[in-house]
Amino acid sequence: MKTNRLFFLYCIVSILFLAISSSCENKRDDSGTLGGMWQLLEWRALDGSPVYSKPDNSNASIYYKVRNNLLMLQFLPGEAEDYYLTYYKQAEGCIIIQTDKIFKDSELDSVAHPIEELKKYGIPNNGRLKIEELTSDKMVLSGAEGTLRFRKY
């Protein structure tokens, strides 16, 4: 009789464990070294002339926030709701923006914006940025708009 109770208790605990562990979802960032928050330090046009350079005494800067397959582009400090969100994929040493899925802040899930609106963040119209250098604390991207140098923030 005692073994039946132990067996029954063992079965209940096993079923509860299986139910709890199978309901857990993996929400870890799997974007590797690219994942995180990147601060734009310098942006040079194709001819080498400066387009953007972060002032030393200013907190204002352009940020790329990367998590899983999402890319958030934001100018900080600024309005918390003022950002663009888009999907990307990493392939062949490039970051490729899905140009049909660009959303702006509070308009999420409503209207996709044209990629031209991302030009102020250094994103070219073809949505393709070549990864020139990528380490745990430094990233250099190049594209039709020029070369972008970032530091991990």
Side-chain angles (χ1 to χ4, degrees):
M1 185 76 165
K2 191 173 187 178
T3 57
N4 284 343
R5 283 188 198 163
L6 286 175
F7 178 73
F8 182 70
L9 184 62
Y10 175 74
C11 288
I12 289 176
V13 169
S14 298
I15 289 171
L16 283 173
F17 177 75
L18 287 172
I20 290 170
S21 65
S22 67
S23 67
C24 295
E25 186 177 339
N26 181 6
K27 294 190 184 225
R28 286 179 268 168
D29 185 12
D30 62 353
S31 49
T33 309
L34 186 60
M37 186 168 168
W38 295 93
Q39 180 185 31
L40 181 64
L41 298 176
E42 180 184 50
W43 173 4
R44 293 204 170 265
L46 293 175
D47 64 3
S49 62
V51 176
Y52 171 89
S53 134
K54 182 191 171 313
D56 292 332
N57 58 353
S58 172
N59 291 334
S61 196
I62 293 173
Y63 290 89
Y64 284 25
K65 299 173 188 175
V66 180
R67 181 165 172 91
N68 294 329
N69 62 341
L70 290 173
L71 174 64
M72 182 177 178
L73 305 164
Q74 190 171 25
F75 189 80
L76 291 175
E79 296 295 321
E81 311 82 40
D82 190 21
Y83 63 86
Y84 287 89
L85 190 64
T86 184
Y87 291 98
Y88 80 94
K89 65 180 179 177
Q90 190 175 351
E92 303 164 5
C94 292
I95 296 173
I96 304 165
I97 308 259
Q98 292 183 359
T99 57
D100 60 331
K101 295 181 179 173
I102 298 169
F103 300 98
K104 187 168 183 193
D105 52 60
S106 60
E107 299 169 0
L108 291 176
D109 299 325
S110 59
V111 174
H113 288 260
I115 194 162
E116 290 80 20
E117 291 186 30
L118 302 184
K119 201 171 206 172
K120 64 184 174 185
Y121 295 99
I123 305 292
N125 288 340
N126 64 5
R128 193 176 192 96
L129 291 166
K130 183 175 188 240
I131 301 171
E132 299 290 341
E133 183 179 352
L134 180 60
T135 64
S136 61
D137 62 346
K138 182 180 179 182
M139 177 170 65
V140 179
L141 303 175
S142 65
E145 297 301 317
T147 302
L148 308 164
R149 296 186 185 284
F150 296 86
R151 75 172 176 116
K152 194 118 186 210
Y153 193 78

